[in-house]
């Protein structure tokens, strides 16, 4: 299965990706996580991406498309992959069309007002990238990652003014990607407001997998 997760920043893509990965036994490729790792390691890609990400802008297509192509060519993607955060522009979607025959574009439909609230309470693990919310999806021990025991932090691009900029970029540049897949009959929409467990159930029903 080759699928992409589409939706506004904070729509819940990363939160649900883990469950889909386990159910389908295929890896998740998160371009946001790959870029944050590159920044943490100080690679050329990280240096090039840092300024765009801190402003809430998209990293140029040419940097991202090469990265995704390389990841999709790796042996662990032989049975498919879940792309989280790619494609985010129509040129990225067209580049992906050249590489794989996509099965599903899963779109998380969440209004902007809900997004702003979610981002304000998000906490992330700098080591394993697990995502929590202080009220809606808290870790078992406050401030500590359930998966690896690391101290949780706040993403720099979750600052309120950057979140508004990311939402604007999403409406301008990423919403047309939705229409790209709708026209191909590949778009599956899941209503993304509700408890994490409810969204999980909706996804399971939409994809016909175990919740
Ligand atoms: P990226 O890391 O991809 O960020 P994003 O798409 O903006 O997505 P997020 O990770 O913010 O949100 P999410 O949908 O995964 O939500 P989450 O599950 O965490 O990209 C970051 C940057 O990298 C971009 O701005 C860009 O600069 C660059 N970039 C990346 N890919 C690129 C590309 N292809 N091209 C160019 N540039 C690229 O949930 C959010 C919060 O809500 C959490 O706290 C969570 O616990 C909570 N939550 C989740 N579900 C629920 C629920 N049902 N109810 C209540 N709370 C919930």
């Amino acid at each position: 299965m080759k699928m992409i997760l589409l939706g506004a920043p904070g729509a819940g893509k990363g939160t649900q990706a883990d469950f889909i990965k386990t159910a389908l036994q295929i890896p998740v490729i998160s371009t946001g996580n790959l870029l944050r790792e590159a920044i943490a390691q100080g690679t050329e890609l990280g240096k090039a991406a840092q300024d765009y990400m801190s402003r809430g802008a998209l990293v140029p297509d040419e940097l991202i498309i090469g990265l995704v192509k390389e990841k999709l060519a790796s042996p662990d993607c032989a049975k498919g992959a879940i792309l989280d955060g790619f494609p985010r522009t129509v040129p990225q979607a067209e580049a992906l069309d050249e590489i794989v025959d996509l099965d599903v574009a899963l779109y998380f439909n969440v209004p902007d007002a809900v997004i702003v609230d979610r981002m304000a309470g998000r906490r992330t693990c700098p080591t394993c990238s697990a995502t929590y919310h202080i009220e809606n999806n808290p870790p078992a021990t406050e401030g500590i990652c359930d998966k690896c025991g690391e101290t949780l932090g706040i993403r720099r691009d979750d600052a309120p003014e950057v979140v508004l900029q990311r939402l604007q970029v999403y409406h301008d540049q990423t919403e047309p990607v939705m229409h790209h897949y709708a026209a191909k009959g590949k778009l599956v929409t899941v209503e993304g407001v509700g408890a994490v467990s409810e969204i999980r159930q909706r996804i399971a029903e939409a994809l016909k997998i175990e919740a």
Side-chain angles (χ1 to χ4, degrees):
M1 165 86 90
K2 297 162 208 95
M3 64 183 295
I4 63 168
L5 308 182
L6 272 176
K13 306 180 293 293
T15 300
Q16 301 292 346
D18 254 8
F19 135 69
I20 304 172
K21 168 185 162 177
T22 306
L24 294 176
Q25 292 288 298
I26 51 175
V28 177
I29 299 172
S30 159
T31 44
N33 287 346
L34 290 173
L35 291 170
R36 280 184 286 278
E37 279 164 29
I39 290 172
Q41 290 162 6
T43 66
E44 287 306 312
L45 173 66
K47 285 178 198 157
Q50 189 157 25
D51 177 53
Y52 295 100
M53 290 177 76
S54 62
R55 285 189 282 118
L58 293 182
V59 171
D61 289 340
E62 56 273 22
L63 290 181
I64 278 291
I65 290 170
L67 177 70
V68 171
K69 265 189 186 169
E70 192 187 305
K71 290 284 166 190
L72 283 173
S74 76
D76 57 327
C77 292
K79 289 188 182 157
I82 303 157
L83 287 168
D84 172 6
F86 181 95
R88 259 184 156 90
T89 63
V90 171
Q92 289 181 18
E94 289 168 348
L96 186 63
D97 289 345
E98 308 265 308
I99 315 170
V100 295
D101 184 14
L102 198 75
D103 297 298
V104 176
L106 187 66
Y107 166 60
F108 293 66
N109 185 24
V110 181
D112 286 6
V114 176
I115 296 290
V116 171
D117 173 58
R118 284 188 187 176
M119 303 299 241
R122 174 159 62 179
R123 299 292 180 271
T124 51
C125 176
T127 301
C128 74
S129 304
T131 301
Y132 304 88
H133 188 280
I134 49 173
E135 287 166 6
N136 305 326
N137 188 22
T141 305
E142 190 182 332
I144 302 295
C145 180
D146 290 346
K147 293 187 179 169
C148 70
E150 180 67 88
T151 301
L152 300 175
I154 299 176
R155 265 170 53 176
R156 289 176 69 180
D157 61 351
D158 280 350
E161 64 280 9
V162 184
V163 169
L164 293 178
Q165 174 60 22
R166 288 165 65 200
L167 274 171
Q168 189 61 49
V169 167
Y170 168 75
H171 291 304
D172 293 345
Q173 299 188 54
T174 308
E175 269 181 358
V177 173
M178 232 166 62
H179 305 308
H180 177 89
Y181 290 110
K184 289 174 178 287
K186 307 232 163 158
L187 193 74
V188 173
T189 299
V190 168
E191 292 307 321
V193 181
V196 171
S197 57
E198 286 169 347
I199 314 299
R200 179 184 172 134
Q201 189 61 44
R202 286 175 206 159
I203 294 170
E205 282 163 20
L207 298 180
K208 299 185 177 52
I209 56 177
E210 284 290 311

